[in-house]
């Protein structure tokens, strides 16, 4: 993987390249930052640059024998550690049992999250972990001599998923590092890593991507996408290319949720102000439609989660600070008219009611009761 394949992050790229040019490659570095900003691709590109036999001033050559292997993630001196799900019936498993699937996902998507990895690996909802016996594999691999390159590189994706025993063993390795070995830890949540491990790594903060860079990348990757659609996704994604991609994939459902939110807020306002008594029947119909089996509990939960975001965004909209809002153009257009009805007198209670409804849906409470009770409470709260 080349630095040129990674969206933005020029300052981080320059820093990594400079460390190689100056011969100051730290034995342990931690790349941390929000999800979807390119931390894992940066770690892989950095490893490839370190091992490149004909590196340029800003990137690996991409053509030497080392780069050819790195392009397929099969270089013998490149090792990966990542969270895995132990198959049923197995008492012991290590990352190498899933290395083929992991390589395929990285080469296919570059930007992905841990849920996508779990789905690729097992297809169920279990949570993964880096198990204790993985530390023995790390020691075994690093105790060997390098095969082809000057350095052995160990990339640990999501070290916050390390089992406590494995984390302590990794700490010991970092305290007494093997010669010509580079550890690259890639984390979404560095505050969940042992502080003693953090203290033995050089931390590199990978920032959010500017909206303009995300927009350009989306337009380059999605033919037929309009600039407005790309800019909307980039804005809502708040610096995460991965989230922007997911927003585009879910745009149809987001638009449906937006329409549902607009509908219930307008109807609740009409009934609450006694302008349209017939709308009370429409409210009941809305609640019945939302409770229908065709919608399903997962979609119901997504709507309620979406409604909480819209309440929050509309409250912030009243501050007239565009940089604080993360909405699409059609959401912004609606909020220009609706936001005055979300204020300090009702915002917390509205958020609490939507959150409570989401929790009750998850607990399999009767959906018709939940949604009709919710709309009645919205009527009262919008009058505040």
């Amino acid at each position: 993987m080349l630095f040129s394949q990674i969206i933005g992050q020029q300052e981080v790229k320059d820093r990594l390249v400079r460390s190689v040019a100056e011969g100051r490659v730290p034995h342990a570095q931690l790349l941390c930052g929000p999800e979807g900003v390119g931390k894992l691709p940066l770690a892989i590109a950095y490893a490839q640059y370190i091992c490149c036999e004909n590196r340029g001033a800003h990137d690996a050559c991409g053509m030497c024998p080392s780069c050819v292997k790195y392009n397929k993630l099969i270089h013998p001196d490149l090792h990966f550690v990542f969270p895995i799900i132990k198959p049923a019936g197995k008492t012991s498993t290590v990352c190498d049992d899933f290395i083929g699937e992991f390589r395929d996902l990285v080469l296919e998507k570059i930007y992905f999250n841990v849920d996508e990895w779990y789905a690729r690996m097992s297809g169920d909802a279990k949570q993964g972990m880096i198990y204790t016996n993985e530390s023995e594999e790390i020691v075994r691999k690093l105790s060997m001599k390098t095969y082809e390159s000057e350095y052995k590189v160990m990339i640990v994706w999501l070290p916050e998923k390390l089992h406590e025993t494995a984390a302590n063993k990794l700490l010991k390795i970092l305290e007494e590092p093997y010669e010509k070995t580079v550890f690259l830890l890639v984390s979404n949540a560095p505050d969940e890593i042992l502080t003693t491990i953090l203290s033995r790594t050089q931390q590199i903060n990978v920032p959010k991507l500017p909206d303009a860079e995300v927009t350009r990348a989306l337009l380059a990757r999605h033919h037929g996408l309009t600039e407005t659609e790309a800019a909307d996704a980039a804005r809502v994604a708040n610096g995460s290319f991965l989230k922007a991609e997911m927003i585009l994939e879910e745009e149809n459902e987001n638009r449906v949720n937006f329409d549902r939110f607009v509908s219930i807020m307008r109807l609740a306002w009409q009934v609450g102000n006694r302008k349209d008594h017939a709308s009370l029947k429409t409210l009941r119909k809305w609640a019945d439609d939302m409770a229908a089996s065709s919608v399903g509990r997962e979609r119901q939960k997504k709507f309620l989660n979406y409604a909480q975001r819209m309440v929050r965004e509309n409250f912030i909209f009243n501050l007239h600070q565009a940089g604080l809002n993360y909405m699409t153009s059609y959401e912004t257009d609606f909020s220009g008219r609706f936001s005055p009805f979300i204020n300090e007198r009702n915002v917390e209670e509205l958020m609490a009611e939507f959150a409570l409804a989401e929790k009750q849906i998850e607990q399999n409470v009767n959906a018709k009761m939940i949604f009709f009770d919710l709309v009645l409470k919205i009527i009262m709260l919008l009058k505040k």
Side-chain angles (χ1 to χ4, degrees):
M1 189 173 297
L2 302 176
F3 284 124
S4 59
Q5 295 175 271
I6 301 168
I7 301 165
Q9 306 297 1
Q10 194 56 52
E11 288 187 13
V12 177
K13 293 174 184 176
D14 290 343
R15 175 176 174 177
L16 296 173
V17 168
R18 191 164 54 248
S19 71
V20 178
E22 295 174 353
R24 297 179 180 179
V25 178
H27 81 279
Q29 298 176 69
L30 171 68
L31 282 75
C32 56
E35 187 178 78
V37 297
K39 300 184 299 296
L40 180 59
L42 282 168
I44 296 172
Y46 182 45
Q48 180 164 340
Y49 188 73
I50 290 172
C51 298
C52 178
E53 298 168 16
N54 189 29
R55 68 177 74 99
H58 305 289
D59 213 337
C61 72
M63 297 179 290
C64 68
S66 175
C67 283
V68 169
K69 293 183 179 69
Y70 260 94
N71 291 338
K72 299 177 182 178
L73 302 181
I74 57 172
H75 196 287
D77 295 316
L78 172 66
H79 307 284
F80 288 101
V81 172
F82 41 81
I84 55 177
I85 297 172
K86 188 181 293 183
K90 288 197 70 173
T91 57
S92 177
T93 187
V94 294
C95 293
D96 278 357
D97 295 336
F98 300 94
I99 190 62
E101 292 92 334
F102 188 76
R103 285 174 179 147
D104 289 344
L105 183 58
V106 174
L107 294 173
E108 176 186 325
K109 295 204 69 173
I110 302 182
Y111 293 82
F112 61 90
N113 61 21
V114 69
D115 290 333
E116 290 177 275
W117 165 233
Y118 291 160
R120 175 68 65 94
M121 179 172 38
S122 69
D124 60 30
K126 293 181 180 179
Q127 292 298 301
M129 178 183 293
I130 300 174
Y131 294 96
T132 302
N133 54 328
E134 194 64 46
S135 54
E136 298 169 5
E137 280 293 293
I138 294 174
V139 171
R140 182 184 67 80
K141 291 173 181 176
L142 298 185
S143 61
M144 300 177 182
K145 294 182 178 180
T146 57
Y147 286 89
E148 298 177 8
S149 299
E150 182 182 1
Y151 288 93
K152 294 188 291 287
V153 182
M154 179 72 67
I155 297 178
V156 183
W157 183 52
L158 304 183
E160 56 267 31
K161 300 290 186 181
L162 280 160
H163 185 278
E164 184 178 355
T165 305
N168 285 318
K169 290 185 177 181
L170 177 62
L171 172 62
K172 186 174 181 181
I173 298 171
L174 294 179
E175 287 175 334
E176 302 173 6
Y178 291 86
E179 187 178 0
K180 295 294 184 179
T181 295
V182 175
F183 271 95
L184 299 176
L185 280 61
V186 179
S187 173
N188 294 333
D191 54 320
E192 297 177 14
I193 302 173
L194 285 179
T195 54
T196 43
I197 288 180
L198 292 177
S199 66
R200 284 159 178 79
T201 62
Q202 184 178 104
Q203 188 165 321
I204 300 174
N205 293 313
V206 184
K208 296 177 180 178
L209 293 162
D211 289 354
E213 289 186 348
V214 175
T215 300
R216 283 196 298 271
L218 290 174
L219 289 170
R221 286 166 169 76
H222 296 272
H223 298 296
L225 185 69
T226 68
E227 190 164 349
T228 299
E229 290 169 337
D232 280 349
R235 179 67 182 157
V236 177
N238 190 21
S240 169
F241 178 74
L242 174 62
K243 187 174 180 180
E245 291 264 74
M246 294 170 69
I247 289 168
L248 289 180
E249 292 175 6
E250 298 170 358
E251 177 55 26
N252 289 338
E253 187 167 0
N254 282 342
R255 194 66 192 240
V256 169
N257 285 333
F258 170 75
D259 291 339
R260 287 169 175 161
F261 181 81
V262 171
S263 174
I264 188 56
M265 291 302 172
R266 284 177 175 166
L267 288 170
W269 176 253
Q270 289 169 1
V271 173
N273 285 274
R274 301 181 184 276
K275 293 180 180 178
D276 186 358
H277 295 288
S279 291
L280 188 57
K281 291 183 178 179
T282 309
L283 280 179
R284 182 176 289 279
K285 183 179 184 305
W286 181 91
D288 290 347
D289 289 344
M290 281 300 304
S293 59
S294 58
V295 177
R297 290 193 176 264
E298 285 306 312
R299 285 197 176 95
Q300 290 165 355
K301 285 161 57 181
K302 285 184 178 180
F303 164 71
L304 293 166
N305 185 269
Y306 175 86
Q308 291 171 66
R309 182 177 77 81
M310 283 300 290
V311 169
R312 182 174 58 250
E313 293 294 340
N314 274 269
F315 178 69
I316 295 173
F317 194 90
N318 292 311
L319 302 177
H320 304 292
Q321 298 288 330
L324 299 178
N325 274 118
Y326 301 97
M327 295 188 287
T328 64
S329 55
Y330 59 82
E331 289 171 341
T332 301
D333 183 58
F334 169 72
S335 297
R337 301 183 298 275
F338 177 68
S339 61
F341 301 105
I342 306 296
N343 51 60
E344 65 278 1
R345 296 184 297 276
N346 62 15
V347 61
E348 291 186 5
E349 289 179 88
L350 279 168
M351 290 287 287
E353 292 299 338
F354 279 113
L356 175 61
E358 183 181 4
K359 182 178 180 180
Q360 290 172 333
I361 288 293
E362 192 167 353
Q363 294 172 340
N364 289 320
V365 178
N366 185 285
K368 285 188 178 182
M369 292 175 56
I370 293 171
F371 283 106
F372 192 64
D373 181 61
L374 176 63
V375 298
L376 295 178
K377 288 174 178 174
I378 291 172
I379 292 171
M380 300 303 297
L381 291 171
L382 287 182
K383 293 173 67 175
K384 283 192 174 184

